Amino acid sequence: MSLAHDLTPVSMPEDVTPEMLAGIDEICAANRGKPGALIPVLQKCQELVGYLPVPVQEHIADKLGVPGQEVFGVTTFYSFFSMKPRGRHTIRVCMGTACYVRGGKEVLERLERHLNIPVDTTTEDRRFTLEQVRCLGACGVAPVVVADQDTHRKVMADKIVDLVESYE
Amino acid sequence: MSHISISDLGEIQQRSERAQALRHGQPGVGSQRMHLLICGGTGCQAAGSLAVMNALRAEIAKQGLEEEIAVVETGCNGFCALGPVMVTYPEGIFYVNLEESDVAELVESHCKNGEPVERLLYKDPSTKKRIPHMRDIPFFALQRLIALKNRSMLDAESIDEYIGRGGYQGMAKALKEMSPEDIVAEVKKSGLRGRGGAGFPTGLKWEFCQKAVGDTKYVLCNADEGDPGAFMDRSILEADPHSVVEGMVIAAKAIGSHHGYVYCRAEYPLAVHRLQLAIDQAKQYGLLGENILDTGFDFDLRIYQGAGAFVCGEETALMRSIEGKRGMPRPRPPFPAQAGLWNKPTILNNVETWANIAQIITNGGDWYASIGTEGSKGTKVFALTGHVNNIGLVEVPMGTPLRTIIYEIGEGIPKKHRKFKAVQLGGPSGGCIPEEHLDTLCDYEDIAKAGAIMGSGGMIVMDDSTCMVDMARFFMEFVQDESCGKCTPCREGTRRMLQILEKITEGKGVPEDIDTLEELAEMIQQGSLCGLGQTGPNPVLSTLRYFRDEYMAHVVDKKCPARSCVALLEFKVDVDKCKQCGLCFKNCPVDAISWKKKEPASIDLDKCIKCKTCLDNCKYDAIY
Ligand SMILES: Cc1cc2nc3c(=O)[nH]c(=O)nc-3n(C[C@H](O)[C@H](O)[C@H](O)COP(=O)(O)O)c2cc1C
Ligand code: SF4
Ligand code: SF4
Ligand code: SF4
Ligand code: FES
Ligand code: FES
């Protein structure tokens, strides 16, 4: 992974507040030196900040006392981690087999058209981040869409526009 | 209560005898007159079951019935598509599609007057008749529950209810009465094979680890459930988390381990929550932790949340991931039984596998081995989804014919104008089985002979509106996305295969592409390190085996016979077939269709966004 080298040093994004950094320091301090702690630490930090921009990752590496490479290696490997700022609402469309077969693909296409963004990006006004996921384990009520924490069942293409519009 | 003994276990069980008798249909009295068990699994919660449950509790309180009627929140009942679902006891009446507005009538009619509410009962899709009793509904009638024994029978958040149904007795027996060798022997006798995909004999795996030398050993549970379309592991964790905990302690004793992890994906928050609760409760009772049941045996168990990578379900990758690294598979040997997590001897089993263990110990390996077929013992849980009437989780004895599952339990294809085309088994490592092989028995060997695999038990039924080339493309996209990139054949080969399949579905394929697909498939299978690459080409090979015609139609005639590949559709109305019903017109989101009464529809191609809504709506196949 040459990612760390490709990126010229950047300063901390403005939306990462000093309070957030203090929170990160606390999480790191509690886990420094513990075997296997990196992924849970990153999960907690992402929950705190909303995403993991490179400077935040460097900060975490520093505080945990592990090489930056190791942190980048992990964040780029797991789909749970996001390096780009996120929208206020995350809309995740399931593209697992059961959902795909029952119309998930059409739901996603309709959403991409409606929000005017491709999947895995955020609208310019940062209202929505659109993602696809591989099976949420709710295949019995396919097709499934998760908006923030709410699971919506049997979401057909003609319902999806109204559904997302209900999220301010 | 803290740190209970074996006799306490019996006492707790006795205390709930009344409640259990009620749920087995015996008339109740007083505070145990009636139990309403409403599903709080993920599917039903998405349909609003919690609101219904709260309304139900409020109404019962309002009517002053709290002393007689208990409302219990269970985990997934298996029939998610009809959620929110509820079962009433002692009658065993099954309600479906409940809404808050139904609650007042339910309490008045069912709870007070003893008259079930007809309109909320299950309606059989073929006979259109209402069936009140759960046991009479074909979906349930033909199942045999072992791994799902407690589903919709208990409050998933109560350890006492689990103990009430005989829970932790298997563990007590293993810890008190059995040697590690006895435990392994019993599991071997049962013939249980791992339910995570490959079907490796569980007892044998434990034996290897038991014999491995090492002070520290680990017991792991694979709750990553990466296969798209499968949800049995989630369901077990949400409905019956203690069954997994109990199984793991038994194995710990068998191999001499004192630490365990459940590797659960972060996309399963409710499962993580209920499992954590179960672990906490078990600890409080001294059923986990130090000196379990005063036997001197210690075992602690923790949850580790995955971060979203399919390949982490592979055992060596999963162990790496717990170590906090990129979850990349490594070559074997050494096998995890010798050098697994942190290089210590380790066993990993799937959630469903764990859910069988306690019952095997309680009832004996012979009991388990008496169910199923020669080579595949016991039962298997399938996630029956796709184009089938009854969608849900189904547990049947090994050896049940596919046709029985799809046509009797599943009650066939929902749309009359559609025909069965294939059933996909085994997810991205599996394959499709066509109509002519529907009498295949569900057993590891027979399914493999028919060109698919058992896998984790995803069973996706597809009617003739599904394009098999597109399905192959779908799975290849999955594999390509999820390849960890370590082996070149897997990384590059699957990319090439995907590109070719995309080309074919876009109408740009040539006949030679099919040979290239076959060559690439072989190369990837042979040159890949882990199961992902080794089995990734299977969906392509199996569709080529049974549906080569469909590939040829795409590359030669530039047609998609299932009318699914958008680039090959024309979106015109066949005026001879059009019955002038107007449904397409009413549903087109961009008003691209014109239609008047008694006139066939017509489509304005400039406006049409090719969304296929009209295709799905037209019952007469008039749009092509
Ligand atoms: C790419 C890949 C993904 C896998 N994903 C899972 C999974 O999500 N859940 C699971 O239980 N097993 C999965 N397996 C199988 C496991 O590696 C392992 O064989 C299994 O968990 C062992 O448990 P069992 O013997 O009880 O089946 C996967 C295997 C491969 C190669
Ligand atoms: S076969 Fe694919 S997923 Fe498996 S180790 Fe190789 S590159 Fe990674
Ligand atoms: S494909 Fe969609 S947009 Fe085109 S005519 Fe049919 S319904 Fe309208
Ligand atoms: S839905 Fe089909 S039959 Fe009905 S008007 Fe449209 S094309 Fe004709
Ligand atoms: S396939 Fe969408 S929830 Fe499983
Ligand atoms: S979630 Fe309620 S039946 Fe499955």
Side-chain angles (χ1 to χ4, degrees):
Chain A
M1 272 293 131
S2 59
L3 184 86
H5 300 300
D6 295 345
L7 295 161
T8 39
V10 268
S11 54
M12 198 57 81
E14 281 168 23
D15 55 359
V16 182
T17 63
E19 290 78 43
M20 288 176 182
L21 286 176
I24 291 177
D25 293 352
E26 227 171 89
I27 296 167
C28 292
N31 287 284
R32 203 180 154 104
K34 274 194 200 162
L38 180 57
I39 293 171
V41 164
L42 290 170
Q43 283 169 343
K44 283 186 195 133
C45 293
Q46 176 163 294
E47 198 177 306
L48 195 74
V49 182
Y51 68 120
L52 294 173
V54 173
V56 169
Q57 293 184 45
E58 280 167 348
H59 187 88
I60 294 170
D62 191 33
K63 294 287 165 184
L64 280 181
V66 300
Q69 288 290 48
E70 204 178 315
V71 176
F72 301 129
V74 165
T75 50
T76 49
F77 185 77
Y78 295 100
S79 62
F80 184 82
F81 300 117
S82 159
M83 296 207 228
K84 283 192 239 130
R86 308 184 56 86
R88 290 199 297 289
H89 303 291
T90 301
I91 311 289
R92 299 191 294 159
V93 181
C94 178
M95 288 296 250
T97 324
C99 289
Y100 186 84
V101 167
R102 292 183 67 92
K105 184 171 96 175
E106 284 75 23
V107 171
L108 184 64
E109 277 167 6
R110 189 68 67 83
L111 260 184
E112 287 181 319
R113 186 178 295 273
H114 176 70
L115 299 176
N116 201 15
I117 50 168
V119 67
D120 288 325
T121 58
T122 300
T123 53
E124 237 168 62
D125 60 4
R126 285 241 220 150
R127 182 170 165 201
F128 292 114
T129 298
L130 180 62
E131 290 178 346
Q132 56 178 333
V133 290
R134 297 292 187 193
C135 191
L136 293 150
C139 326
V141 292
V144 179
V145 172
V146 175
D148 297 338
Q149 307 297 325
D150 318 327
T151 305
H152 299 275
R153 65 205 282 266
K154 301 185 191 169
V155 179
M156 299 312 288
D158 41 354
K159 282 203 302 200
I160 188 64
V161 169
D162 292 341
L163 196 148
V164 296
E165 283 305 322
S166 67
Y167 288 79
E168 272 311 303
Chain B
M1 203 184 283
S2 65
H3 236 87
I4 61 176
S5 64
I6 288 184
S7 60
D8 294 333
L9 212 53
E11 231 169 73
I12 297 173
Q13 193 180 351
Q14 270 180 358
R15 241 195 282 143
S16 67
E17 237 168 31
R18 262 258 192 83
Q20 289 309 323
L22 188 77
R23 290 180 208 169
H24 282 101
Q26 290 177 32
V29 284
S31 67
Q32 304 278 8
R33 177 168 82 79
M34 186 184 280
H35 285 180
L36 308 176
L37 277 78
I38 182 158
C39 177
T42 299
C44 286
Q45 286 201 8
S49 69
L50 295 185
V52 175
M53 182 178 74
N54 292 334
L56 205 53
R57 289 202 169 126
E59 183 66 23
I60 284 170
K62 197 170 121 196
Q63 305 280 346
L65 297 169
E66 292 143 298
E67 295 292 308
E68 309 161 40
I69 301 177
V71 178
V72 178
E73 178 188 346
T74 70
C76 175
N77 153 297
F79 217 168
C80 318
L82 300 180
V85 301
M86 179 170 89
V87 194
T88 71
Y89 291 105
E91 315 91 321
I93 285 179
F94 190 62
Y95 285 111
V96 301
N97 292 320
L98 294 178
E99 287 179 26
E100 261 182 279
S101 55
D102 300 323
V103 163
E105 183 183 352
L106 254 178
V107 172
E108 182 64 28
S109 172
H110 185 109
C111 301
K112 289 179 89 173
N113 303 333
E115 283 165 18
V117 183
E118 179 82 14
R119 66 183 176 86
L120 299 173
L121 300 174
Y122 171 76
K123 188 154 130 194
D124 189 289
S126 26
T127 63
K128 306 284 176 218
K129 286 214 179 80
R130 303 265 174 197
I131 307 180
H133 287 278
M134 185 163 163
R135 60 169 184 268
D136 299 330
I137 298 172
F139 179 79
F140 295 107
L142 294 165
Q143 297 196 44
R144 162 122 200 213
L145 305 184
I146 296 176
L148 304 179
K149 170 184 171 224
N150 291 327
R151 77 160 181 206
S152 81
M153 288 298 268
L154 52 75
D155 177 351
E157 302 194 354
S158 160
I159 189 171
D160 284 9
E161 290 223 342
Y162 179 72
I163 295 172
R165 284 187 50 85
Y168 287 111
Q169 294 292 352
M171 180 180 98
K173 183 170 167 190
L175 294 187
K176 281 270 187 202
E177 299 165 24
M178 297 170 83
S179 70
E181 290 74 20
D182 294 341
I183 299 173
V184 168
E186 208 61 51
V187 176
K188 278 173 90 174
K189 211 195 285 171
S190 76
L192 174 66
R193 298 169 66 171
R195 301 295 189 237
F200 191 81
T202 304
L204 204 58
K205 187 190 281 190
W206 294 12
E207 189 175 46
F208 289 144
C209 195
Q210 183 182 54
K211 293 190 172 145
V213 231
D215 298 337
T216 309
K217 294 182 182 179
Y218 293 100
V219 176
L220 307 183
C221 169
N222 193 341
D224 194 48
E225 193 153 70
D227 266 12
F231 56 109
M232 58 286 288
D233 295 347
R234 173 177 196 152
S235 170
I236 290 169
L237 289 172
E238 288 179 2
D240 198 12
H242 286 286
S243 66
V244 175
V245 174
E246 186 178 357
M248 291 181 78
V249 183
I250 294 170
K253 158 99 185 225
I255 65 160
S257 160
H258 305 290
H259 308 279
Y261 289 97
V262 178
Y263 187 94
C264 188
R265 46 159 60 201
E267 284 93 345
Y268 283 7
L270 185 63
V272 170
H273 169 75
R274 292 208 173 133
L275 181 63
Q276 188 61 55
L277 259 178
I279 291 175
D280 295 345
Q281 290 169 344
K283 274 195 186 142
Q284 238 180 17
Y285 271 10
L287 299 171
L288 266 183
E290 283 172 17
N291 191 17
I292 297 174
L293 283 172
D294 298 324
T295 57
F297 185 72
D298 306 335
F299 183 67
D300 82 50
L301 184 58
R302 265 183 268 167
I303 301 178
Y304 192 92
Q305 285 198 44
F310 174 71
V311 74
C312 286
E314 195 278 336
E315 57 181 356
T316 58
L318 184 146
M319 291 169 198
R320 289 243 136 187
S321 184
I322 296 182
E323 291 167 9
K325 305 196 189 97
R326 297 162 68 98
M328 300 264 212
R330 64 156 176 79
R332 288 170 295 189
F335 290 96
Q338 259 91 39
L341 184 62
W342 284 300
N343 274 325
K344 308 289 184 198
T346 303
I347 50 170
L348 169 74
N349 280 116
N350 163 265
V351 172
E352 187 187 331
T353 312
W354 287 122
N356 283 297
I357 296 297
Q359 292 177 69
I360 289 173
I361 297 299
T362 310
N363 304 320
D366 289 331
W367 161 79
Y368 195 82
S370 71
I371 305 160
T373 64
E374 188 55 37
S376 307
K377 300 297 184 191
T379 56
K380 175 78 195 93
V381 183
F382 292 98
L384 183 62
T385 62
H387 299 137
V388 61
N389 271 310
N390 294 341
I391 291 176
L393 280 188
V394 172
E395 183 171 1
V396 288
M398 291 279 190
T400 305
L402 279 172
R403 194 184 294 281
T404 306
I405 300 179
I406 296 167
Y407 282 93
E408 292 178 40
I409 298 177
E411 297 202 54
I413 306 288
K415 291 189 184 157
K416 281 221 177 63
H417 62 294
R418 293 277 168 226
K419 281 208 304 279
F420 174 89
K421 186 165 190 175
V423 53
Q424 211 279 344
L425 297 178
S429 320
C432 290
I433 295 181
E435 171 95 51
E436 65 260 34
H437 290 286
L438 267 188
D439 293 312
T440 300
L441 307 183
C442 283
D443 128 323
Y444 287 95
E445 278 68 34
D446 282 33
I447 289 180
K449 254 184 256 151
I453 59 160
M454 179 83 77
S456 61
M459 191 179 273
I460 293 135
V461 179
M462 297 181 283
D463 70 20
D464 57 0
S465 68
T466 316
C467 169
M468 301 318 269
V469 185
D470 186 55
M471 281 320 288
R473 185 204 58 76
F474 169 84
F475 281 112
M476 194 43 69
E477 185 178 68
F478 183 95
V479 171
Q480 161 67 38
D481 256 14
E482 300 294 342
S483 164
C484 81
K486 191 166 168 174
C487 331
T488 319
C490 173
R491 188 183 63 234
E492 300 300 329
T494 58
R495 192 201 312 280
R496 279 286 294 136
M497 283 184 84
L498 177 60
Q499 282 165 350
I500 293 171
L501 289 164
E502 277 172 352
K503 222 174 78 178
I504 297 177
T505 55
E506 284 161 10
K508 298 178 193 141
V510 292
E512 297 78 68
D513 285 338
I514 294 178
D515 304 327
T516 316
L517 282 176
E518 281 172 335
E519 284 159 24
L520 283 165
E522 195 177 328
M523 183 195 84
I524 297 167
Q525 285 174 327
Q526 286 173 359
S528 293
L529 172 65
C530 87
L532 187 95
Q534 287 157 1
T535 61
N538 288 357
V540 180
L541 293 176
S542 98
T543 47
L544 271 171
R545 169 169 167 191
Y546 292 121
F547 299 96
R548 195 174 274 264
D549 290 359
E550 208 162 328
Y551 280 84
M552 292 319 273
H554 282 74
V555 294
V556 179
D557 313 328
K558 308 294 175 197
K559 287 244 155 56
C560 173
R563 289 175 309 147
S564 157
C565 297
V566 172
L568 297 175
L569 296 180
E570 290 187 45
F571 292 91
K572 282 190 198 142
V573 178
D574 180 337
V575 285
D576 295 331
K577 280 189 181 170
C578 175
K579 292 272 183 334
Q580 309 173 358
C581 70
L583 264 183
C584 58
F585 162 78
K586 285 187 194 111
N587 287 296
C588 175
V590 292
D591 297 329
I593 301 183
S594 42
W595 166 85
K596 281 201 201 73
K597 273 198 185 126
K598 300 202 184 127
E599 261 178 44
S602 70
I603 295 175
D604 180 346
L605 286 178
D606 291 335
K607 282 195 193 163
C608 171
I609 57 171
K610 297 199 169 188
C611 70
K612 295 202 290 186
T613 307
C614 53
L615 265 191
D616 294 338
N617 276 296
C618 181
K619 293 196 180 64
Y620 307 99
D621 275 359
I623 296 171
Y624 61 103

